[in-house]
Amino acid sequence: MSANSHVEGQLPHEPEKATLEGRNKVLGFWLFLGGETVLFGTLFSAFLALRHQVLDGPTENELFQLPLVALATALLLTSSLTSVFAVHALHTNRVKALINWLIVTVILGAAFLGLEIYEFAHYLHEGHGFTTSAFSSSFYTLVGFHGAHVAFGIAWITLIIIQLSRKGLTVVTAPKVYVAGMYWHFIDVVWVFIFTVVYLMGKVV
Amino acid sequence: MDWLTTVDHKKIGILYMIAGGFFFLVGGLEAILIRIQLWKPLNNFVSADTYNELLTMHGTTMIFLAAMPLLFALMNAVIPLQIGARDVAFPFVNSLGFWTFLFGGILLNVSWFTGGAPDAGWTSYAPLAGTTYSGDHGVDYYVLGLQIAGIGTLIGGINFLVTIINMRAPGMTFMRMPMFTWAAFITSALILFAFPALAVGLAALMFDRLFDANFFDPSGGGNAVLWEHIFWIFGHPEVYILILPAFGVISEVISTFSRKRLFGYSSMVFATILIGFLGFMVWAHHMFTVGLGPVANALFSIATMLIAIPTGIKIFNWLFTMWGGSIKFTAANLFAVGFIPTFVMGGVTGVMLAAAPADFQYHDSYFVVAHFHYVIVGGLVLGIFSGLHYWWPKMFGRILNETLGKLTFWTFFIGFHMTFFIQHFLGLLGMPRRIWTYLDGLGFNEMNMISTVGAFLMGFGTIFFLLNVVITAFKPQNAPADPWEDGRTLEWSIPSPPPEYNFAQTPLVRGYDAYWKEKMDGHTGMTPAEPIGPIHMPSPSILPFFMGAGLFVAGLGFMYAKDWGNLFGSFKTGYALGIVGLLIVFGSMFLRSVIDDHGFHIEEDEILKDMEGKA
Ligand code: HEM
Ligand SMILES: [Cu+2]
């Protein structure tokens, strides 16, 4: 790796993979995401099995409003893009740009979360509580788990931003940024599935 | 204190062994009580309710709190040594895994003292596990205790995967890796893909019970069969998570004590991978009778039977390894050799059960009980005993007494077959499982009596083992590096017990059975791959302990939120406690991320001093 490391400042080319700890972290995180895939897969299966069990509560079709969800989707997808910019800044060793892109990412994530909270409050109003039906339980569990992941990601990336501004970009902080970026993309991909399987399918079938 | 903060995988291995051993005794005691209740018809030694609790806790304890931790004990003690690594990939996470397992296990067992252990069976089938039929807190303990312990297992699995992929010594290619490490590798992959499914199932059941969700409650539109799918898509891989490491142990022990290379090494690797893969395809063989229909039953039936092929490959390879070898029947090897026919019998009944039409007859009878005890006790527990006798000198620097070891084997082995062989016939005669007593005159009496006597024999076997451990602990710590003199893998090339940093110099691996190869080439040790220099080590930390404890507190709090009174206004005391617990967890995570900890170095002269001392 050292052969092709074009030195910018003193950081090696791919600082997240420069140390064994860094490589372990990145690999461990890939594996962790494998486990997360199973987790969400199981949640999706439970939702698919139960989504028509609405009892007296509202159905998917009555409930979902695509424009709102589409807006949330756009926000989250954009935040994935800005996190790519962040990792690009990492690889070109521009700390300032890196921090700024992370801040934008966090703001977009928070906006998404705000919309989701608004959406849930609205559904609650429509008589779609957590305990209303098997459909509602599985819906809130699946979408809520994703929301909790977004919230966790926001807190996590915020901490990383603080660390970056205190310690700058090093072979210790770089893997953290990189891994948080992976996490953020993963959440995004899960959302694309939620958008398709929960919302679009709910409107169509 | 040292033990609360350690991040050394060898010490964590010992911790896993003590905790797992303790739960093994608890689970064993529960088993003995079950067998006492069943030793004669219409017995009233325990009540029906207590019987249900004993049965549930026995299964849950043995699988999650005894068998898996004991395997983790061996894996922690051995894997880094077998691949020539100084440490595991994530020492902190490794210790966190131990503490969450321990606190989860304790939480489960607290239920005995708070008015009702879980009583819906180790599979916790809905709606039996719902609030309608299990109104007290028993199943809450199951749900939360297993959830917390499961986190520990999952992160432990990730740790082993990364360790094995990234930290092998130079020359240790995948196809030179010892069989035990291979088995641990595949097992860890299964853990990674199976445990999240269980986590979702437990979370959903928890939502149903604590927050009135409707996942599995038919009156709310829920689906009880959904629980069975989720449980078994985890549960069947789980049985392979248990048995593959035992296969690994057997491969090591048989080859060492036959003084021969493991026969068909690459086919062994391939078979292990295949078993791991197929393990995910067969979960519905536990559900032939719930009405999935003939097509689904046929597919799952065939998929199940396919597993017999790679398993058969393994069995024959072990036999061919022994063939023509100069076999030494040490206690460790007795357990390994005893494993083979016993596991074969369990496999054969497995294939019988896998025939869906026949399973309608066997299902929920003692035949199934006999089957899974043949594979789990006759396979896994014999494997664990074998591994403990084999690696004890490496872990503690003391060789277990051989005579007592053999006594353990024979009592346990005979007791085991007495207990469970006869249960096949009880099952065929129609004795149902999970029933607290039976009528006289059904022809069950004598067989149950024999089964109970066998259980006591197994208990004596375990006592002999404990005795052995105690006696050995008083012996001087003088085991040589290679106490069996025929050690083949890297762990035997370093002192017993190994120094904190395992390898003073990372070894250069030049072939399969790395150490044996060097010995055959006339060398006395491994060729080092690096000069002697200071070694970097991670610092100990108390945070994992606190995180485990925090989860424990949180679990208890949320569980009792509905019963405990209000704190301020309408805020429940239970929720307050739960939040405190979570704050401890997140606070520890926060501390971990803000405190810079660069570990410490062990200096060169200290390493040189160690080497002289041991030489
Ligand atoms: C040789 C391959 C195996 C086959 C073909 C097989 C097949 C089966 C089948 C069809 C059942 C369901 C029977 C019923 O409920 O009516 C079953 C139950 C069971 N098997 Fe196996 N099995 C095999 C190996 C194993 C192994 C290696 C383990 C564990 C280490 C294991 C543990 C269990 C357990 C725990 C149950 C009962 C679960 C319960 O209902 O509580 N099996 N097996
Ligand atoms: Cu199975």
Side-chain angles (χ1 to χ4, degrees), chain B residues 236 239 282 285-286:
Chain B
H236 189 79
V239 304
V282 299
H285 66 209
H286 298 272

Side-chain angles (χ1 to χ4, degrees), chain B residues 557-558 560-561 564-568 570-579:
Chain B
F558 287 123
Y560 284 100
W564 291 346
N566 293 343
L567 195 59
F568 320 102
S570 63
F571 192 65
K572 303 258 190 234
T573 317
Y575 286 127
L577 196 66
I579 291 170

